[in-house]
Amino acid sequence: MVTKLIAASITLQVVASLCARQRTIHTIQYLDCRPKRVLSFACSGTCSSYSKPSSLQPGEFDKHCECCQEKDTMTRQTRVMCPNEGGDTPFKYKVVSVSIPVSCMCQPCSQFPLSNAQSEPDNIHERKRTKNNTYIDLPL
């Protein structure tokens, strides 16, 4: 049996990256506190990705994937209104910290999706899956 390897030329269409920070409305839900809607920012857009036959390893594929993700972030704090059991007033405020993307860029996608981590009482970070299957922090 003779196996012939035929090299084929494949042209990949390169699409310009359209990754940018955009305004969004984010609802902070923390324990039994009232949900709070806040104006926020998120990274959204399209980035380059492809899967093509490998020229170095026959039968394999070269894969490249980039996702629109936060490049730089800053932390902001906000107050949420929570029940105050046994207190002088029917409610109390809790301060929560959230991350906000300052800038966004196309970066290599992670191999596994990021999971929602349990938040500590004074630090809330919610993650959201975007249209291009990336995960972003939804901050204030």
Side-chain angles (χ1 to χ4, degrees):
M1 173 188 244
V2 176
T3 304
K4 291 184 180 180
L5 178 63
I6 300 174
S9 174
I10 297 177
T11 303
L12 296 175
Q13 181 179 359
V14 177
V15 177
S17 298
L18 300 172
C19 176
R21 185 175 89 142
Q22 298 178 353
R23 289 187 181 271
T24 186
I25 300 292
H26 171 62
T27 302
I28 296 174
Q29 177 64 58
Y30 179 68
L31 300 176
D32 56 349
C33 303
R34 279 192 187 168
K36 182 176 182 179
R37 291 174 52 100
V38 293
L39 181 61
S40 184
F41 292 94
C43 295
S44 181
T46 58
C47 300
S48 174
S49 64
Y50 63 82
S51 179
K52 68 177 183 173
S54 173
S55 58
L56 301 176
Q57 298 175 342
E60 298 293 322
F61 286 86
D62 292 333
K63 298 176 184 179
H64 173 79
C65 177
E66 289 184 338
C67 303
C68 184
Q69 299 179 42
E70 67 279 0
K71 177 182 175 192
D72 298 305
T73 61
M74 66 180 171
T75 302
R76 291 286 187 237
Q77 294 183 332
T78 189
R79 298 185 317 163
V80 291
M81 191 181 340
C82 306
N84 188 17
E85 297 176 19
D88 296 342
T89 60
F91 64 89
K92 63 182 175 182
Y93 286 100
K94 288 190 179 182
V95 176
V96 293
S97 297
V98 292
S99 293
I100 300 172
V102 175
S103 61
C104 304
M105 68 180 284
C106 293
Q107 300 182 59
C109 301
S110 62
Q111 187 174 5
F112 302 102
L114 300 173
S115 62
N116 287 339
Q118 290 296 323
S119 300
E120 295 180 15
D122 293 330
N123 191 10
I124 295 180
H125 296 278
E126 182 176 323
R127 310 230 3 122
K128 178 183 177 185
R129 191 173 191 168
T130 63
K131 292 178 187 175
N132 59 348
N133 292 323
T134 62
Y135 287 83
I136 58 171
D137 281 326
L138 288 179
L140 275 183

